[in-house]
Amino acid sequence: MSDTPVLEVKDLRKHFPIAGGLLQREQARVYAVDGVSFSVGHGETLGIVGESGCGKSTAGKVILKLLEPTSGSIHLKGKDISKLSRREMHPHRREMQVIFQDPYASLNQRMRAQDIVAEPLGNYEEGSSRRARLEKVAALFNKVGLRRDFMNRYPHEFSGGQRQRLGIARALALNPELIIADEPVSALDVSVQAQVINLMMDLQQEFNLSYLFIAHDLAVVQHISHRIGVMYLGKLVEITDKRSLFRNPQHPYTEALLGAVPVPDPRRRRQRVVLKGDVPSPITPPKGCNFNTRCPYAFDRCFQEEPELREVARGHLAACHLR
Amino acid sequence: MTLQVQDPPISARIRENLGNLAEALRRNPTMLFGLVVLSAMAIAAFGAPYLGLDDPMRQVPRERLHGPSADSLFGTDMFGRDLFSRVLHGGQISLIVGLSVAFLATTIGMVIGLIAGFNRHVDAVVMRFMDALMSIPAILLAIALVALWGSSVPNVILALTIPEVPRVVRLVRSVVLTLRDQLYVQAAIASGTSTPRILLRHIMPNTIPPIIVQATYICAQAVIFEAYLSFVGAGTPPEIPSWGNIMAEGRMYFYQNLGIILFPGIFLAITVFAINTFGDGLRDSLDPRMQRRV
């Protein structure tokens, strides 16, 4: 296997201009993603966590080129795709597929299950017969644990978990190397979540898939990820392997996130860092460290200088002046 | 084990759709009423040549401006032509114009609306042009166009279509704009589906229900406008009977035979009413929010 990671993102930024006034000129910008760098290796799962509005889904959409990046680079298997036009992007799309959060909105209600899963095949295998494509769809149904006699049904005849399996089958159809999963289980029941996560892990084994797994549920991310990145207000504040993140969090925000996970033992008293206040607006992020408005340890330097993401231990990066 | 990897037969799909329509008609009697009246009108108009009526063009100078009688149901006009036959035959033009305008305006509007909704640069130019077109009163624009091109049935159809297009474009564009950001459209882009295919497969089917409803209103409007145009002499050529023509020619003589204005007017009103009733019913049954209430 080569050393080039499947996905390498460098200093990725996505700003949304807010237009206003008579001439619709830019009045301000939303710093949705503001300088994020990470990489995903072959067969690896990188989990990205953060609270809502931190830019994790936007980052996913920019990597998929559903949104144009403001700046920064996205290398997919060593090739920079950040500046490719829609047409130039076409051959690269088949290496990177997506699973969305909402299994209701992400499937076209008017199409049959088999046509939904066959759509990507039709886009890349122009020559193949419809029959051959449907055979492939049948095999995919098998892989994701759906019955073949459901192929003719419409999405509304499936349950939430089954719909998400359909979404997974569609993502697998082109044999991609990387799947970007944008909160793939957040909309499902806990018991169904486990089934879908386990299916994703089995498929990863079988096809040597890489996942960029975006979620806000730490338990789910802990279960599926090899490495985890924590995002706050458009920036990556900490990224490391799963074990050191949970055992030895280096950023105060990560500490607070972990402290907020409930422990199923009423007698155990824990020391918790409880955060006060809300996330500041991404339109006017604070000067210095983004987290200084809520950080219990903030000192002078945090209000003046923005901390860089540095290696604080082997393979463990954090953006905090205290480390 | 047999492998089931086949599409259901087309006939099953057609049956499913027809079943839905029958169900909607059963639940909505006013819609059924509109459809029945409209069908009766169409059968009367297009079946008129086979009913053994008098030739609508044959002039009998001795029997001018007679009132209704057993011999001629609606009486005769100033040239002694049978009014009943003329009114039925006149329905052909009105219905042809109405349906053609509805079909053309929605088709052209659909294509322009889909493209404008998906491409921001086209959108900016096209929508300003549509705004300009909408600022001209429809009937004046139609009169100007017929005056420019000369009066014939195809020209009347075109002249009535052009002012209707902008409204359809706006409607389609608004649906496209809301659907463009739907996750399933994003998923289709991510899986490499080309823009034309996205428009055809994922977006166009969702624009059809509101378009069908709009088409019925356009049809009703066009029937009325065709009569206007004929009445002011800028429409269907005078030798072809149409409701507007009959009323326009006969307006000097309605003291002698009121039917010459009354009957084409009643037929026109009933047709428009039936089309609108049917359109209202369609809207109710196609709008999922209304469905539960009916």
Side-chain angles (χ1 to χ4, degrees):
Chain A
M1 217 184 287
S2 63
D3 284 357
T4 35
V6 176
L7 176 71
E8 190 168 17
V9 172
K10 277 208 189 104
D11 204 28
L12 189 68
R13 283 167 210 273
K14 176 68 194 176
H15 301 167
F16 294 101
I18 301 172
L22 197 62
L23 295 170
Q24 292 295 301
R25 269 195 293 223
E26 183 180 322
Q27 304 280 307
R29 354 174 101 194
V30 178
Y31 298 87
V33 178
D34 201 22
V36 168
S37 306
F38 57 79
S39 66
V40 184
H42 288 271
E44 188 190 40
T45 303
L46 173 68
I48 299 282
V49 288
E51 55 199 296
S52 23
C54 73
K56 53 192 195 299
S57 289
T58 305
K61 283 192 174 167
V62 173
I63 292 166
L64 283 161
K65 293 273 284 185
L66 294 174
L67 294 170
E68 288 301 308
T70 306
S71 68
S73 70
I74 307 160
H75 286 264
L76 183 67
K77 293 174 74 185
K79 165 105 171 118
D80 188 1
I81 57 163
S82 61
K83 287 171 190 70
L84 296 187
S85 70
R86 252 191 100 167
R87 195 168 306 225
E88 294 166 328
M89 191 61 209
H90 189 75
H92 299 283
R93 290 221 184 269
R94 63 180 311 171
E95 282 156 9
M96 166 173 73
Q97 288 293 302
V98 62
I99 303 169
F100 282 114
Q101 169 176 13
D102 187 343
Y104 294 87
S106 63
L107 306 174
N108 188 345
Q109 308 282 340
R110 291 168 190 272
M111 281 167 72
R112 286 167 196 280
Q114 58 186 12
D115 295 325
I116 291 174
V117 178
E119 180 172 8
L121 291 172
N123 294 337
Y124 286 95
E125 291 161 25
E126 301 282 355
S128 68
S129 73
R130 180 163 168 79
R131 177 148 194 105
R133 271 183 250 150
L134 287 181
E135 297 284 356
K136 268 195 182 171
V137 173
L140 284 165
F141 265 58
N142 234 1
K143 277 267 166 330
V144 300
L146 288 170
R147 289 171 49 180
R148 284 175 179 199
D149 37 333
F150 289 177
M151 282 172 59
N152 261 325
R153 295 195 178 186
Y154 284 98
H156 66 95
E157 296 172 281
F158 291 91
S159 72
Q162 287 174 325
R163 281 157 172 258
Q164 206 53 300
R165 285 172 194 267
L166 268 181
I168 294 172
R170 171 173 62 188
L172 283 177
L174 294 173
N175 261 325
E177 297 212 16
L178 171 70
I179 289 184
I180 294 178
D182 187 359
E183 308 229 16
V185 296
S186 311
L188 306 175
D189 290 345
V190 179
S191 59
V192 181
Q193 281 190 0
Q195 291 170 16
V196 171
I197 291 287
N198 289 336
L199 171 68
M200 286 182 70
M201 291 173 82
D202 293 343
L203 294 169
Q204 179 166 46
Q205 288 286 317
E206 193 175 340
F207 298 108
N208 195 30
L209 288 169
S210 306
Y211 288 131
L212 178 66
F213 193 96
I214 299 164
H216 60 251
D217 185 335
L218 279 168
V220 168
V221 169
Q222 184 181 17
H223 188 62
I224 196 172
S225 305
H226 301 109
R227 288 191 303 135
I228 297 174
V230 179
M231 274 186 80
Y232 183 78
L233 212 59
K235 289 186 189 338
L236 210 52
V237 295
E238 182 162 8
I239 180 167
T240 182
D241 62 277
K242 164 164 76 179
R243 181 178 291 212
S244 38
L245 187 91
F246 279 89
R247 291 230 178 123
N248 191 15
Q250 292 294 308
H251 196 279
Y253 179 62
T254 316
E255 228 172 74
L257 272 187
L258 294 178
V261 175
V263 177
D265 182 353
R267 277 160 303 182
R268 209 172 118 195
R269 312 271 311 165
R270 292 178 305 161
Q271 274 201 313
R272 282 185 56 185
V273 185
V274 179
L275 291 183
K276 292 194 175 56
D278 283 321
V279 187
S281 159
I283 299 169
T284 48
K287 193 165 170 276
C289 176
N290 264 350
F291 191 52
N292 63 22
T293 54
R294 301 167 84 191
C295 182
Y297 315 116
F299 63 109
D300 298 351
R301 197 176 160 200
C302 301
F303 293 94
Q304 269 131 39
E305 201 184 316
E306 192 184 319
E308 272 180 47
L309 193 65
R310 294 176 292 117
E311 192 157 27
V312 291
R314 225 177 93 77
H316 195 146
L317 283 74
C320 183
H321 289 311
L322 284 167
R323 306 295 165 186
Chain B
M1 189 187 113
T2 50
L3 197 60
Q4 264 260 296
V5 288
Q6 247 146 25
D7 292 311
I10 308 258
S11 60
R13 289 188 179 200
I14 292 173
R15 218 178 308 136
E16 191 181 316
N17 284 334
L18 285 181
N20 287 346
L21 184 64
E23 172 69 15
L25 286 171
R26 197 181 61 75
R27 270 201 258 173
N28 194 339
T30 47
M31 179 181 166
L32 182 63
F33 169 78
L35 187 63
V36 167
V37 172
L38 193 59
S39 308
M41 203 56 95
I43 291 168
F46 292 100
Y50 312 103
L51 289 178
L53 298 167
D54 285 348
D55 182 346
M57 308 292 202
R58 193 173 66 101
Q59 304 182 2
V60 186
R62 270 183 301 134
E63 294 174 10
R64 281 175 298 163
L65 295 169
H66 283 193
S69 66
D71 200 29
S72 62
L73 214 52
F74 290 173
T76 56
D77 70 0
M78 60 285 179
F79 298 121
R81 296 176 294 199
D82 180 47
L83 208 52
F84 182 62
S85 172
R86 284 183 72 74
V87 168
L88 288 197
H89 281 87
Q92 289 180 5
I93 297 298
S94 296
L95 290 173
I96 287 172
V97 170
L99 294 176
S100 309
V101 170
F103 177 77
L104 278 178
T106 49
T107 314
I108 297 171
M110 170 95 86
V111 173
I112 299 177
L114 284 174
I115 295 169
F118 227 80
N119 184 319
R120 206 182 307 167
H121 304 290
V122 176
D123 188 49
V125 179
V126 167
M127 289 319 287
R128 293 301 77 73
F129 183 71
M130 292 297 151
D131 287 346
L133 208 52
M134 280 183 93
S135 69
I136 307 170
I139 191 74
L140 288 184
L141 185 58
I143 290 172
L145 290 175
V146 174
L148 198 65
W149 296 333
S151 71
S152 73
V153 176
N155 284 351
V156 168
I157 290 171
L158 261 185
L160 290 176
T161 300
I162 289 170
E164 294 298 338
V165 167
R167 264 171 277 270
V168 182
V169 171
R170 280 193 173 185
L171 182 71
V172 174
R173 175 177 172 270
S174 73
V175 177
V176 176
L177 289 183
T178 54
L179 290 181
R180 198 173 57 176
D181 295 327
Q182 287 283 310
L183 276 184
Y184 68 80
V185 175
Q186 300 279 307
I189 296 173
S191 65
T193 308
S194 63
T195 308
R197 271 203 209 167
I198 286 176
L199 286 174
L200 282 181
R201 194 183 294 165
H202 296 290
I203 294 188
M204 203 182 83
N206 286 300
T207 62
I208 286 176
I211 284 290
I212 289 180
V213 174
Q214 186 71 15
T216 61
Y217 296 131
I218 291 176
C219 180
Q221 172 115 327
V223 171
I224 294 179
F225 277 12
E226 188 278 328
Y228 279 173
L229 286 183
S230 300
F231 195 82
V232 298
T236 318
E239 68 274 14
I240 305 174
S242 89
W243 292 334
N245 271 349
I246 300 169
M247 286 191 275
E249 290 171 357
R251 64 176 181 262
M252 314 283 280
Y253 308 100
F254 77 92
Y255 281 115
Q256 279 82 9
N257 180 4
L258 185 63
I260 209 167
I261 290 254
L262 189 67
F263 292 117
I266 288 175
F267 271 63
L268 178 68
I270 291 175
T271 306
V272 170
F273 177 69
I275 297 173
N276 277 331
T277 315
F278 182 64
D280 276 340
L282 267 185
R283 193 202 54 213
D284 291 353
S285 61
L286 289 174
D287 186 345
R289 274 164 304 174
M290 303 285 283
Q291 214 156 43
R292 253 156 266 143
R293 294 222 308 261
V294 175

